[in-house]
Amino acid sequence: MTQPPSDAHEFDLIERIRRRVHSRDDVVLGIGDDAALLKVPAGQLLVVAMDTLNAGVHFPDDTAAADVGWKSLAVNLSDLAAMGAEPAWCTLSLSLPDGDTRWVDGFLDGFLELAHAHGVALVGGDTTRGPLSISVTVHGFVAPGRALRRDAARVDDDVWVSGTPGDAAGALVQWRERTVRDAFLRSRLDRPTPRLTLGAALADVANACIDVSDGLLADLAHVCRASKVGARIELDRLPASDALRVAFDEAHRQTLQATGGDDYELCFTASPDLRDEIERIALGTGTPVTRIGRIEAGEGARAFDARGRLWQPGRAGYQHFA
Ligand code: ADP
Ligand code: MG
């Protein structure tokens, strides 16, 4: 039987959190009342996203508390990045097996490091006893008509991806197989970089955008379905980190890159006329981007090898409880 936390314990944890958060001018009332009061800028749309991390499902059990904190916010900020939105506030629901204050302090180290880096204020949440699980909601803004939606890809658009997809999935394979564990790959799994500046800069330029959480082909297929188009990507164009190249042979690496999840890179489509503009944005935001394919009439996202043959992944992306 799980017990509800004692009031004193719950309030002690909440107080530990409240003491460490930064506020913002648009927070009228943050942690401490029944609800937060927040000012949405006039003329802006409120953008809201939520993601949950469960121990053993969304992160390995040996993940450091600070990395769990970072990742629980990063995956949410990544959703705002994929909308071209600017984050402002977040709320945090913590389900904890016990009142381990050291774990909570470590969690906050990572969570608040990322929150402060992006000027995001933690304005409320909930603290309960149960299996280790973290739900975060982020709130942000985007101007009407500027959001990067999944349903806006057009035939003949280029398909682009940021960063080096496959790193997080590579780390997971190494963790499961208990062989060599590359620290860089593991850092990509534990501390994904939400591509917020890139997403905001693309809002005027890209047509459709999605963040890659379930795997490049699987997530691109969501764009295709919403936009009623097809996509082809060229496997040999997928940008790979040196660490991934060293750790896996080409076939395994390409499978990780095309189908592995958890990278939180942006996959977006844009008119071929805008290639120079996109390269400028990549330089300006310090975010590498690579053109990996194109949008065509039809349906589904498919990958082709260097000789132009259709490539068959073992499985497209990671589905929880599949
Ligand atoms: P209530 O019983 O009214 O829901 P709670 O005791 O759950 O209030 O929370 C008290 C205050 O602490 C609220 O402002 C709530 O938003 C905040 N809070 C609770 N848990 C967290 C958390 N994990 N992170 C941030 N704020 C929290
Ligand atoms: Mg509550």
PDB file of all heavy atoms in Angstrom, residues 10-11 14 17 30-35 92-94 122-127, ligand 1:
ATOM      1  N   GLU A  10       5.482  16.709   2.891  1.00  0.00           N
ATOM      2  CA  GLU A  10       5.147  17.286   1.588  1.00  0.00           C
ATOM      3  C   GLU A  10       5.480  18.779   1.587  1.00  0.00           C
ATOM      4  O   GLU A  10       6.089  19.294   0.653  1.00  0.00           O
ATOM      5  CB  GLU A  10       3.663  17.053   1.298  1.00  0.00           C
ATOM      6  CG  GLU A  10       3.194  17.674  -0.005  1.00  0.00           C
ATOM      7  CD  GLU A  10       1.674  17.593  -0.172  1.00  0.00           C
ATOM      8  OE1 GLU A  10       1.024  16.900   0.636  1.00  0.00           O
ATOM      9  OE2 GLU A  10       1.158  18.237  -1.096  1.00  0.00           O
ATOM     10  N   PHE A  11       5.091  19.452   2.664  1.00  0.00           N
ATOM     11  CA  PHE A  11       5.321  20.906   2.691  1.00  0.00           C
ATOM     12  C   PHE A  11       6.801  21.231   2.779  1.00  0.00           C
ATOM     13  O   PHE A  11       7.259  22.228   2.230  1.00  0.00           O
ATOM     14  CB  PHE A  11       4.539  21.551   3.852  1.00  0.00           C
ATOM     15  CG  PHE A  11       3.053  21.469   3.650  1.00  0.00           C
ATOM     16  CD1 PHE A  11       2.188  21.371   4.722  1.00  0.00           C
ATOM     17  CD2 PHE A  11       2.525  21.469   2.361  1.00  0.00           C
ATOM     18  CE1 PHE A  11       0.808  21.289   4.520  1.00  0.00           C
ATOM     19  CE2 PHE A  11       1.154  21.391   2.151  1.00  0.00           C
ATOM     20  CZ  PHE A  11       0.288  21.295   3.229  1.00  0.00           C
ATOM     21  N   ILE A  14       8.032  20.961  -0.756  1.00  0.00           N
ATOM     22  CA  ILE A  14       7.577  22.109  -1.551  1.00  0.00           C
ATOM     23  C   ILE A  14       8.367  23.362  -1.164  1.00  0.00           C
ATOM     24  O   ILE A  14       8.769  24.151  -2.030  1.00  0.00           O
ATOM     25  CB  ILE A  14       6.053  22.329  -1.364  1.00  0.00           C
ATOM     26  CG1 ILE A  14       5.275  21.140  -1.935  1.00  0.00           C
ATOM     27  CG2 ILE A  14       5.611  23.618  -2.045  1.00  0.00           C
ATOM     28  CD1 ILE A  14       3.788  21.154  -1.609  1.00  0.00           C
ATOM     29  N   ILE A  17      11.668  23.437  -2.775  1.00  0.00           N
ATOM     30  CA  ILE A  17      11.551  23.829  -4.185  1.00  0.00           C
ATOM     31  C   ILE A  17      11.344  25.347  -4.269  1.00  0.00           C
ATOM     32  O   ILE A  17      12.052  26.045  -5.000  1.00  0.00           O
ATOM     33  CB  ILE A  17      10.382  23.069  -4.854  1.00  0.00           C
ATOM     34  CG1 ILE A  17      10.679  21.560  -4.876  1.00  0.00           C
ATOM     35  CG2 ILE A  17      10.123  23.606  -6.257  1.00  0.00           C
ATOM     36  CD1 ILE A  17       9.503  20.693  -5.290  1.00  0.00           C
ATOM     37  N   GLY A  30       3.208  32.953  -7.800  1.00  0.00           N
ATOM     38  CA  GLY A  30       3.816  31.660  -8.131  1.00  0.00           C
ATOM     39  C   GLY A  30       3.470  30.598  -7.103  1.00  0.00           C
ATOM     40  O   GLY A  30       2.323  30.508  -6.643  1.00  0.00           O
ATOM     41  N   ILE A  31       4.461  29.795  -6.704  1.00  0.00           N
ATOM     42  CA  ILE A  31       4.250  28.690  -5.770  1.00  0.00           C
ATOM     43  C   ILE A  31       3.722  29.204  -4.429  1.00  0.00           C
ATOM     44  O   ILE A  31       4.238  30.192  -3.907  1.00  0.00           O
ATOM     45  CB  ILE A  31       5.576  27.935  -5.547  1.00  0.00           C
ATOM     46  CG1 ILE A  31       6.013  27.244  -6.845  1.00  0.00           C
ATOM     47  CG2 ILE A  31       5.438  26.907  -4.419  1.00  0.00           C
ATOM     48  CD1 ILE A  31       7.402  26.637  -6.776  1.00  0.00           C
ATOM     49  N   GLY A  32       2.698  28.549  -3.880  1.00  0.00           N
ATOM     50  CA  GLY A  32       2.256  28.863  -2.530  1.00  0.00           C
ATOM     51  C   GLY A  32       0.764  29.040  -2.366  1.00  0.00           C
ATOM     52  O   GLY A  32       0.237  28.917  -1.269  1.00  0.00           O
ATOM     53  N   ASP A  33       0.060  29.342  -3.430  1.00  0.00           N
ATOM     54  CA  ASP A  33      -1.398  29.479  -3.304  1.00  0.00           C
ATOM     55  C   ASP A  33      -2.051  28.274  -3.979  1.00  0.00           C
ATOM     56  O   ASP A  33      -1.392  27.309  -4.342  1.00  0.00           O
ATOM     57  CB  ASP A  33      -1.854  30.807  -3.925  1.00  0.00           C
ATOM     58  CG  ASP A  33      -3.089  31.369  -3.232  1.00  0.00           C
ATOM     59  OD1 ASP A  33      -4.069  30.616  -3.071  1.00  0.00           O
ATOM     60  OD2 ASP A  33      -3.068  32.560  -2.851  1.00  0.00           O
ATOM     61  N   ASP A  34      -3.361  28.328  -4.153  1.00  0.00           N
ATOM     62  CA  ASP A  34      -4.045  27.196  -4.780  1.00  0.00           C
ATOM     63  C   ASP A  34      -3.728  27.091  -6.263  1.00  0.00           C
ATOM     64  O   ASP A  34      -3.833  26.021  -6.857  1.00  0.00           O
ATOM     65  CB  ASP A  34      -5.560  27.328  -4.591  1.00  0.00           C
ATOM     66  CG  ASP A  34      -5.929  27.197  -3.126  1.00  0.00           C
ATOM     67  OD1 ASP A  34      -5.404  26.277  -2.470  1.00  0.00           O
ATOM     68  OD2 ASP A  34      -6.711  28.022  -2.629  1.00  0.00           O
ATOM     69  N   ALA A  35      -3.348  28.206  -6.864  1.00  0.00           N
ATOM     70  CA  ALA A  35      -3.001  28.198  -8.281  1.00  0.00           C
ATOM     71  C   ALA A  35      -2.113  29.411  -8.570  1.00  0.00           C
ATOM     72  O   ALA A  35      -2.059  30.350  -7.773  1.00  0.00           O
ATOM     73  CB  ALA A  35      -4.265  28.262  -9.142  1.00  0.00           C
ATOM     74  N   LEU A  92       5.323  21.414 -12.238  1.00  0.00           N
ATOM     75  CA  LEU A  92       6.058  20.166 -12.002  1.00  0.00           C
ATOM     76  C   LEU A  92       5.276  19.262 -11.072  1.00  0.00           C
ATOM     77  O   LEU A  92       5.006  19.623  -9.917  1.00  0.00           O
ATOM     78  CB  LEU A  92       7.415  20.525 -11.355  1.00  0.00           C
ATOM     79  CG  LEU A  92       8.223  19.407 -10.710  1.00  0.00           C
ATOM     80  CD1 LEU A  92       8.676  18.398 -11.762  1.00  0.00           C
ATOM     81  CD2 LEU A  92       9.431  20.002  -9.980  1.00  0.00           C
ATOM     82  N   SER A  93       4.874  18.080 -11.556  1.00  0.00           N
ATOM     83  CA  SER A  93       4.246  17.088 -10.684  1.00  0.00           C
ATOM     84  C   SER A  93       5.266  16.008 -10.379  1.00  0.00           C
ATOM     85  O   SER A  93       5.764  15.328 -11.281  1.00  0.00           O
ATOM     86  CB  SER A  93       3.012  16.488 -11.369  1.00  0.00           C
ATOM     87  OG  SER A  93       2.504  15.454 -10.556  1.00  0.00           O
ATOM     88  N   LEU A  94       5.590  15.865  -9.108  1.00  0.00           N
ATOM     89  CA  LEU A  94       6.588  14.886  -8.663  1.00  0.00           C
ATOM     90  C   LEU A  94       5.891  13.768  -7.917  1.00  0.00           C
ATOM     91  O   LEU A  94       5.240  14.009  -6.898  1.00  0.00           O
ATOM     92  CB  LEU A  94       7.565  15.549  -7.689  1.00  0.00           C
ATOM     93  CG  LEU A  94       8.754  16.340  -8.210  1.00  0.00           C
ATOM     94  CD1 LEU A  94       9.521  16.947  -7.039  1.00  0.00           C
ATOM     95  CD2 LEU A  94       9.663  15.445  -9.038  1.00  0.00           C
ATOM     96  N   LEU A 122       9.419  28.265 -12.616  1.00  0.00           N
ATOM     97  CA  LEU A 122       8.584  27.187 -12.074  1.00  0.00           C
ATOM     98  C   LEU A 122       7.524  27.834 -11.191  1.00  0.00           C
ATOM     99  O   LEU A 122       7.858  28.475 -10.193  1.00  0.00           O
ATOM    100  CB  LEU A 122       9.459  26.216 -11.270  1.00  0.00           C
ATOM    101  CG  LEU A 122       8.742  25.069 -10.548  1.00  0.00           C
ATOM    102  CD1 LEU A 122       7.995  24.168 -11.526  1.00  0.00           C
ATOM    103  CD2 LEU A 122       9.758  24.244  -9.753  1.00  0.00           C
ATOM    104  N   VAL A 123       6.260  27.707 -11.574  1.00  0.00           N
ATOM    105  CA  VAL A 123       5.204  28.483 -10.908  1.00  0.00           C
ATOM    106  C   VAL A 123       4.223  27.630 -10.103  1.00  0.00           C
ATOM    107  O   VAL A 123       3.294  28.172  -9.497  1.00  0.00           O
ATOM    108  CB  VAL A 123       4.413  29.331 -11.932  1.00  0.00           C
ATOM    109  CG1 VAL A 123       5.333  30.350 -12.594  1.00  0.00           C
ATOM    110  CG2 VAL A 123       3.725  28.447 -12.971  1.00  0.00           C
ATOM    111  N   GLY A 124       4.416  26.314 -10.093  1.00  0.00           N
ATOM    112  CA  GLY A 124       3.514  25.484  -9.312  1.00  0.00           C
ATOM    113  C   GLY A 124       3.726  24.025  -9.611  1.00  0.00           C
ATOM    114  O   GLY A 124       4.622  23.653 -10.366  1.00  0.00           O
ATOM    115  N   GLY A 125       2.904  23.195  -8.981  1.00  0.00           N
ATOM    116  CA  GLY A 125       3.040  21.768  -9.214  1.00  0.00           C
ATOM    117  C   GLY A 125       2.283  20.968  -8.193  1.00  0.00           C
ATOM    118  O   GLY A 125       1.364  21.461  -7.541  1.00  0.00           O
ATOM    119  N   ASP A 126       2.700  19.709  -8.051  1.00  0.00           N
ATOM    120  CA  ASP A 126       2.059  18.819  -7.102  1.00  0.00           C
ATOM    121  C   ASP A 126       3.118  17.835  -6.624  1.00  0.00           C
ATOM    122  O   ASP A 126       4.029  17.489  -7.385  1.00  0.00           O
ATOM    123  CB  ASP A 126       0.906  18.086  -7.804  1.00  0.00           C
ATOM    124  CG  ASP A 126      -0.124  17.555  -6.819  1.00  0.00           C
ATOM    125  OD1 ASP A 126      -0.128  18.014  -5.659  1.00  0.00           O
ATOM    126  OD2 ASP A 126      -0.910  16.685  -7.225  1.00  0.00           O
ATOM    127  N   THR A 127       3.031  17.425  -5.377  1.00  0.00           N
ATOM    128  CA  THR A 127       4.023  16.510  -4.809  1.00  0.00           C
ATOM    129  C   THR A 127       3.271  15.387  -4.117  1.00  0.00           C
ATOM    130  O   THR A 127       2.486  15.636  -3.200  1.00  0.00           O
ATOM    131  CB  THR A 127       4.922  17.269  -3.801  1.00  0.00           C
ATOM    132  OG1 THR A 127       5.487  18.408  -4.462  1.00  0.00           O
ATOM    133  CG2 THR A 127       6.042  16.376  -3.300  1.00  0.00           C
TER     134      THR A 127
HETATM  135  P1  ADP B   1      -3.257  22.225  -3.035  1.00  0.00           P
HETATM  136  O1  ADP B   1      -3.525  21.253  -1.953  1.00  0.00           O
HETATM  137  O2  ADP B   1      -4.024  23.504  -2.961  1.00  0.00           O
HETATM  138  O3  ADP B   1      -3.282  21.601  -4.399  1.00  0.00           O
HETATM  139  P2  ADP B   1      -0.475  21.795  -2.667  1.00  0.00           P
HETATM  140  O4  ADP B   1      -0.227  21.549  -1.222  1.00  0.00           O
HETATM  141  O5  ADP B   1      -0.523  20.651  -3.600  1.00  0.00           O
HETATM  142  O6  ADP B   1      -1.760  22.722  -2.790  1.00  0.00           O
HETATM  143  O7  ADP B   1       0.632  22.814  -3.178  1.00  0.00           O
HETATM  144  C1  ADP B   1       0.909  24.000  -2.484  1.00  0.00           C
HETATM  145  C2  ADP B   1       1.643  24.937  -3.418  1.00  0.00           C
HETATM  146  O8  ADP B   1       2.893  24.366  -3.783  1.00  0.00           O
HETATM  147  C3  ADP B   1       0.902  25.202  -4.711  1.00  0.00           C
HETATM  148  O9  ADP B   1       1.162  26.533  -5.096  1.00  0.00           O
HETATM  149  C4  ADP B   1       1.555  24.257  -5.684  1.00  0.00           C
HETATM  150  O10 ADP B   1       1.475  24.743  -7.015  1.00  0.00           O
HETATM  151  C5  ADP B   1       2.983  24.218  -5.172  1.00  0.00           C
HETATM  152  N1  ADP B   1       3.649  22.939  -5.440  1.00  0.00           N
HETATM  153  C6  ADP B   1       3.363  21.711  -4.956  1.00  0.00           C
HETATM  154  N2  ADP B   1       4.208  20.779  -5.407  1.00  0.00           N
HETATM  155  C7  ADP B   1       5.077  21.435  -6.219  1.00  0.00           C
HETATM  156  C8  ADP B   1       6.177  21.021  -7.021  1.00  0.00           C
HETATM  157  N3  ADP B   1       6.581  19.741  -7.098  1.00  0.00           N
HETATM  158  N4  ADP B   1       6.817  21.975  -7.744  1.00  0.00           N
HETATM  159  C9  ADP B   1       6.413  23.255  -7.702  1.00  0.00           C
HETATM  160  N5  ADP B   1       5.392  23.707  -6.966  1.00  0.00           N
HETATM  161  C10 ADP B   1       4.715  22.814  -6.238  1.00  0.00           C
END
